[in-house]
Amino acid sequence: MSDAALKDALAALGIGWSILEHEAVYTVEESLAIHDALPGAHTKNLFLKDAGGQFWLVTVEHMRRVDLKALAGVIGAKKLSFGKAEDMERLLGVTPGSVTPLAALNDTGGAVRVVLDPELAAADAVHVHPLRNTATVGLSGADLVRALAAWGHDPLIAAIPERPNTDQ
C-alpha cells in the first residue's frame, strides 16, 4: 500500500493528519530527535505471535518496557514471542522498523489483532509511521481507533503491563 492509498483511506473517513518527512529510523532511540519536533504521544510497535498461531500488533508509548509474559494474560493470548519479518511483510505489508498500526489497512484477511494502550487511544496526538520509517504521521488517538475499526481491526484497548525497571 502506498502513501497515496493510505492518505485516501484516511480521507475517506474524514480523518485529518500531519506528516513529517525525515531520515530512516529503526529504533525508538533513533527517533528521539523527531519527538522534539512533534508534540504528543510517540509509539513503539510490537509484532507478536502467540503459541496458538494468532498474530498481534501491540502499540504502546515509545518508552514503555512491555512485559510479554504478563501481556499474554491481559490480551487473552497464549505464550507470546516476536513474529517473523516474513510474516510481518506478508500480513501487514511493512518491514521491520516500519511497523505501525496503520498497516492494519493492508491486513484485509484480519489475521492480526491490534492492541492499543489506553493512553494512546485517548491522546490528542499520536505519532506513528505511515507504512515506512522515513516519515512520521500525527493523528488523534480517537481517529486512529476509528480508522482501525473501519478497516476491520477494531482494536483491543488494554492496559499494557510493564517490566519492572532493574537498572537500579
Side-chain angles (χ1 to χ4, degrees):
M1 181 88 36
S2 67
D3 278 7
L6 176 61
K7 184 178 180 180
D8 290 348
L10 292 172
L13 296 170
I15 294 175
W17 53 287
S18 62
I19 189 165
L20 175 68
E21 300 288 339
H22 51 73
E23 294 293 321
V25 292
Y26 296 92
T27 65
V28 168
E29 291 75 25
E30 289 176 354
S31 67
L32 290 178
I34 296 163
H35 298 184
D36 293 337
L38 299 170
H42 292 268
T43 59
K44 168 168 58 178
N45 299 280
L46 306 175
F47 180 69
L48 306 169
K49 185 177 182 181
D50 72 16
Q54 174 65 55
F55 289 95
W56 301 85
L57 176 58
V58 179
T59 302
V60 298
E61 231 349 292
H62 74 283
M63 295 306 285
R64 300 284 299 270
R65 296 166 40 98
V66 177
D67 181 337
L68 291 184
K69 186 179 261 188
L71 176 63
V74 169
I75 64 175
K78 297 175 181 162
K79 183 180 176 188
L80 290 165
S81 61
F82 287 95
K84 294 180 181 176
E86 304 83 53
D87 290 325
M88 179 190 308
E89 291 178 47
R90 176 176 53 84
L91 298 170
L92 297 175
V94 295
T95 57
S98 298
V99 185
T100 172
L102 297 176
L105 178 63
N106 293 330
D107 179 26
T108 56
V112 180
R113 295 278 325 267
V114 178
V115 180
L116 290 178
D117 187 272
E119 288 85 19
L120 294 177
D124 290 335
V126 176
H127 300 286
V128 298
H129 288 311
L131 310 179
R132 58 187 171 91
N133 64 353
T134 55
T136 298
V137 166
L139 68 165
S140 75
D143 281 343
L144 176 58
V145 169
R146 192 162 56 90
L148 291 167
W151 300 334
H153 288 79
D154 198 18
L156 172 61
I157 310 297
I160 308 299
E162 287 191 76
R163 285 192 329 245
N165 188 351
T166 57
D167 298 337
Q168 305 287 342

